[in-house]
Amino acid sequence: MLKTAIYPGSFDPVTLGHLDIAERASKIFDRVIVTVMENRRKKCWFSLEQRMGMLKKSTAHIPNISIDRSDILLADYCSGKGDVVVIKGLRALSDFELEFQMALINRKLNARLDTLFLTTGERFQYLSSSVIKEICTLGGDVSEFIPREIYDDVSRCSRHHKEKV
């Protein structure tokens, strides 16, 4: 029986690496809920609503993906969704250490919760939202790193952040 998968993240902004993981998860699971998590430790460029909008645009072609948001613990969020599996994308060994720790904590908080790690496609291993924001701030072109559906959104926001620097 295939379960519902929860793919959590800040997605500030969504990258082609994020989209790669979401698309691959959608082929494994009947339903994937991409969940924009509020991370109080991160200083986001985009509001939760903007990030949800960008994800909706970027995943519109994938019928079994829906977009949600959460500002509670992932383990608690997942317990309200029934039998689910958490999807986490890994780019490098350094990602694994943190994500493995989080998977163990989530399992401790919610004994029914499993985490499935998907390795990012090699062409996206270097890609992160932080890198996108850095390139934007310095005036670089990010068109080959983000979904084309959100290019204008990211460009508008990057102009705003460049003016603040």
Side-chain angles (χ1 to χ4, degrees):
M1 174 172 82
L2 297 177
K3 295 182 178 185
T4 296
I6 305 291
Y7 178 28
S10 56
F11 306 106
D12 184 51
V14 62
T15 69
L16 290 177
H18 292 133
L19 193 56
D20 175 58
I21 296 293
E23 288 174 339
R24 290 173 40 220
S26 75
K27 294 174 185 170
I28 299 169
F29 295 91
D30 293 327
R31 182 172 175 229
V32 176
I33 305 170
V34 180
T35 307
V36 180
M37 305 296 289
E38 183 174 330
N39 185 338
R40 291 173 180 89
R41 291 177 293 156
K42 287 189 176 181
K43 190 166 190 146
C44 291
W45 273 19
F46 299 94
S47 70
L48 248 64
E49 292 77 19
Q50 289 172 314
R51 289 180 274 154
M52 288 180 68
M54 287 188 289
L55 280 163
K56 285 177 184 175
K57 288 181 202 178
S58 301
T59 61
H61 65 285
I62 312 169
N64 62 331
I65 286 185
S66 61
I67 310 302
D68 199 8
R69 64 186 278 179
S70 178
D71 61 357
I72 62 174
L73 286 171
L74 179 61
D76 293 340
Y77 173 81
C78 290
S79 68
K81 299 293 181 186
D83 287 335
V84 298
V85 170
V86 172
I87 298 292
K88 295 301 278 188
L90 299 177
R91 294 172 301 208
L93 189 58
S94 57
D95 284 348
F96 179 75
E97 292 178 40
L98 175 63
E99 296 300 349
F100 182 69
Q101 179 184 24
M102 294 306 302
L104 292 174
I105 291 169
N106 285 327
R107 180 75 179 209
K108 183 72 173 169
L109 295 172
N110 179 348
R112 294 177 41 191
L113 192 56
D114 282 314
T115 300
L116 175 68
F117 297 104
L118 293 177
T119 54
T120 301
E122 64 184 43
R123 66 183 208 255
F124 304 119
Q125 285 181 332
Y126 59 89
L127 201 51
S128 70
S129 295
S130 298
V131 167
I132 297 301
K133 290 186 279 194
E134 182 71 15
I135 293 169
C136 283
T137 301
L138 297 173
D141 179 15
V142 295
S143 60
E144 65 182 278
F145 308 126
I146 60 174
R148 70 180 180 284
E149 297 87 354
I150 67 164
Y151 181 78
D152 289 340
D153 299 315
V154 174
S155 294
R156 269 192 304 279
C157 191
S158 70
R159 282 192 299 274
H160 169 73
H161 284 277
K162 276 196 293 192
E163 291 168 4
K164 291 170 75 174
V165 174

